[in-house]
Structures are given as structure tokens and as C-alpha cells.
Amino acid sequence: MDNVLTPNKLAHTWLEDALALLFGTLMISFGVILFRQAGALTGGTAGIAFLIHYATHLPFGAAFFLINLPFYWLSVRRMGMQFTLKTFCAVGLVSLFSDLHGRFIHFDQLNPYYATLFGNIVVGIGFVVLFRHKASLGGVNILALYLQDKSDIRAGKFQMVVDACIVTASLFFVSLPMLATSIVGAVILNSIIAMNHRPGRYAV
């Protein structure tokens, strides 16, 4: 007898994937707006884009989109064309929305520490939405997985080194209290992903 408590696996439809990319990137880009308003940092490719934004005043969206371009070739080889196309769309939408939000939202008063912590919660939820629909924001994560396949470099250790470099470089642009808050926020973000995106936990 079939176990009625075991749900059947159903693939997401193209409409569900499209809406997930839209909603997930809207949430992540809103978190980016909070980071930018607070003068905070984050890790990975987004952290590099923030460093470029703070150093050169190049819009975050443009920096984020350009940084990700070299990684798509690796994504095709490591993750396949479907994942790469979804990731390309997600990166493009975050780049677009992170600049568009400012045309519709203006904060007259915003506590930077609250904005940093809440922004990481919003971004974490957005990442889970993307991951559940086989998409990501590419960049350093793809490179880490590729290097792990081609050498003895562990993906987690490589990303840790990259994030450590971002944190070190950020000392030139953010205060120590904001840096400490950014680190706590990154822990919150990764905890949300760890709790809500485990292989085999969900039917879909």
C-alpha cells in the first residue's frame, strides 16, 4: 500500500518558476536597498559589488551585473544551461530592481543596524525562493563549485577566503560597528538558508 503521507514529486511549471524569480529577486533587491542605505556589507559577489559601489560610486546594479558575466561559462559547464539561464535572469532582475527601488522608496529615518539585520533576513528568504526553483545569483558560488570539481580546493573554504578578503577590504569603507553588524547579519542569512534549503527535505 502506498504511504498516503508521502507526497508525489511535481515539477514546477514555467509560470511558477517565472513568478519565483520575480518574487525572489524583488526580496533580495529590497534587502540590497537596506544594505546600501545602512552602509553595510555582505559576502560573495554582492559584497564585491558593494565594495566597487562604495569605492567608485558605480551603481550597485551595474557593478553586480558586470561582475557576474565571467561566471556564466563556468555555470554552463558545472550546472547546465537551464540553471544558467535562470541565474542570468535572476542576476539581471536584482541588478535592475536594486536601482529601480530607489525611484519608489525613500527612507527619511532608518536605523542602520536594524536595516542590516532585517535586510539579511529578507535576502535569506529570497535566496531560498531562488534555490527552490533551481536558480541562484551565480558568481563566487559557481566558481567555488567549479574549483572543487577541478582541484582539491573545498568550495566552503574558498568562499570563506573570499568573504574574509571582502571583510578586510571593507575596513576602508565601513565603521567597525557596522562591520560587526554585517557579520552577524551574514550569519543570520546563512542560517535561514541552512534551515530551509536541505536536499530531501521537501517533495519538490
Side-chain angles (χ1 to χ4, degrees):
M1 178 181 289
D2 293 335
N3 186 350
V4 295
L5 297 179
T6 302
N8 294 323
K9 292 186 176 182
L10 299 174
H12 293 294
T13 67
W14 69 267
L15 179 59
E16 290 171 336
D17 284 341
L19 290 175
L21 288 178
L22 176 63
F23 298 149
T25 54
L26 276 171
M27 297 185 72
I28 292 170
S29 58
F30 182 72
V32 167
I33 290 295
L34 294 177
F35 294 155
R36 188 164 59 194
Q37 184 78 16
L41 258 294
T42 188
T45 312
I48 298 173
F50 267 118
L51 289 177
I52 295 174
H53 170 67
Y54 292 146
T56 67
H57 301 293
L58 181 71
F60 170 87
F64 184 66
F65 185 81
L66 292 174
I67 290 171
N68 271 287
L69 289 178
F71 296 102
Y72 293 121
W73 177 77
L74 295 178
S75 179
V76 171
R77 296 191 61 180
R78 177 63 174 76
M79 305 293 191
M81 182 58 70
Q82 185 180 41
F83 175 89
T84 303
L85 289 175
K86 288 181 180 180
T87 296
F88 179 82
C89 292
V91 169
L93 288 172
V94 168
S95 300
L96 175 66
F97 291 152
S98 62
D99 290 332
L100 282 181
H101 277 309
R103 299 177 181 271
F104 301 98
I105 301 173
H106 178 72
F107 298 102
D108 292 321
Q109 183 177 358
L110 183 67
N111 183 288
Y113 305 107
Y114 174 85
T116 301
L117 297 177
F118 184 71
N120 275 284
I121 294 173
V122 173
V123 170
I125 296 172
F127 268 122
V128 171
V129 172
L130 293 185
F131 292 163
R132 296 290 297 139
H133 289 262
K134 304 297 188 294
S136 78
L137 292 184
V140 173
N141 181 251
I142 292 174
L143 178 59
L145 293 173
Y146 181 82
L147 291 176
Q148 182 171 268
D149 284 347
K150 296 299 182 179
S151 66
D152 294 329
I153 300 174
R154 298 294 298 274
K157 291 182 178 179
F158 177 79
Q159 291 189 158
M160 188 182 302
V161 170
V162 172
D163 287 345
C165 292
I166 293 172
V167 168
T168 301
S170 69
L171 290 172
F172 295 99
F173 304 104
V174 301
S175 65
L176 284 175
M178 182 51 62
L179 177 59
T181 307
S182 297
I183 293 173
V184 174
V187 172
I188 294 173
L189 187 156
N190 285 285
S191 297
I192 291 173
I193 294 174
M195 287 188 295
N196 293 280
H197 187 68
R198 294 182 184 178
R201 166 162 282 185
Y202 302 101
V204 178

